[in-house]
Amino acid sequence: STPGSVRTGPLGALRQSAERPDHPSLDQLAKKVGRSPTQLQKIFTRWAGLSPKGFLQAVTLDHAKRLLSNDMPLLEMLQVLSRTPVSEPQLRAVVAVTCGRWCAGRGEDNEALRLLAHALELVPDLRPAMRLLYRIYLRRGDVRSAVRYLDQEIRATRHPREAAALYRERGKLVETHFGDRNAALQCYQAALKATPRDLAVLRSVETIALHQGQIMPLITNLEQQLEVLEQLLADKHISQSQAGLP
């Protein structure tokens, strides 16, 4: 049998609990629906494919997303953050990042930095927090701190193409602000490992080779650019032929 409808029974009890800042224990939920904790655990897991605790975490995150989509005032969101238990680190991190974004938008950078750092303490690989910290520090002219969080974001990235874009961004930063072309070249080369046909990165490497007078690497780079351009032209010709265009 099912554990009840959306509004009644164990499912309803759990969903109502998700709206509360202080989540009840399994024993409290079981008492509320007239079951033993063991019965509730077994019935609910068999029906939902999640333990009561897992379901509660899922609907709590869903509730947080609905709160954020309603554009709640910052003060109310800070109150939500203060009431969210430490035992729900993902939820606290989501709310902290949102509060940090709003503080940054209001020019309250110090408070934003505090909130975002708190989010990373809870969820160390939370990329949105790293990205906001990077932007705030870059806006403040603290490029070294910005690069530090950009490096964290690179390490947290699981997708090669996204990592390549971040490496390219890092290369531009160190080249522009520190004049360190060797470090920039390392970043561009790391980007090319994931996206070897990236013309923008190849041209950045070309510029460094020109500045450093490296003739052979420059020739190799220009040949790579030519291959990419030829392939782009060939792909364009194929697309036009398939579309019946002249």
Side-chain angles (χ1 to χ4, degrees), residues 12-213:
L14 280 168
R15 186 167 291 280
Q16 291 170 18
S17 300
E19 309 292 327
R20 296 172 49 183
D22 54 332
H23 300 313
S25 66
L26 181 62
D27 289 344
Q28 291 172 317
L29 284 171
K31 183 177 180 181
K32 183 173 183 178
V33 298
R35 303 291 180 101
S36 72
T38 302
Q39 287 177 321
L40 178 60
Q41 180 89 12
K42 289 182 178 179
I43 293 173
F44 194 88
T45 302
R46 185 171 63 247
W47 181 81
L50 287 171
S51 67
K53 180 179 179 181
F55 176 82
L56 187 58
Q57 290 175 337
V59 295
T60 300
L61 285 171
D62 178 68
H63 178 56
K65 292 176 182 177
R66 286 189 284 110
L67 289 177
L68 304 185
S69 67
N70 289 335
D71 293 329
M72 291 178 64
L74 176 58
L75 180 59
E76 291 183 41
M77 282 305 305
L78 290 171
Q79 291 172 348
V80 170
L81 178 61
S82 68
R83 293 196 302 267
T84 304
V86 179
S87 59
E88 299 284 355
Q90 290 183 326
L91 177 58
R92 280 188 68 89
V94 167
V95 179
V97 168
T98 301
C99 292
R101 180 180 291 111
W102 285 358
C103 286
R106 291 156 57 105
E108 300 172 5
D109 284 356
N110 290 335
E111 181 64 11
L113 293 174
R114 185 189 68 79
L115 289 163
L116 295 170
H118 176 61
L120 286 180
E121 289 174 359
L122 296 167
V123 183
D125 60 349
L126 191 60
R127 288 183 57 196
M130 299 172 192
R131 175 58 28 175
L132 279 171
L133 285 162
Y134 164 73
R135 289 176 177 169
I136 291 172
Y137 278 116
L138 195 61
R139 185 178 66 204
R140 292 169 65 139
D142 187 349
V143 181
R144 292 190 185 279
S145 293
V147 170
R148 177 160 56 90
Y149 284 106
L150 184 57
D151 287 342
Q152 287 188 26
E153 189 175 1
I154 290 172
R155 289 193 292 270
T157 301
R158 298 292 178 266
H159 302 287
R161 288 190 175 275
E162 291 181 8
L166 295 173
Y167 271 119
R168 181 170 63 243
E169 190 173 359
R170 190 186 193 282
K172 288 294 184 184
L173 268 181
V174 298
E175 186 176 5
T176 301
H177 292 277
F178 303 130
D180 191 341
R181 293 195 177 95
N182 288 328
L185 182 59
Q186 291 177 356
C187 294
Y188 297 143
Q189 289 171 340
L192 288 173
K193 287 182 180 179
T195 55
R197 293 164 54 85
D198 191 323
L199 272 176
V201 179
L202 286 170
R203 285 166 180 161
S204 295
V205 173
E206 174 194 349
T207 301
I208 292 177
L210 280 170
H211 278 290
Q212 296 181 340

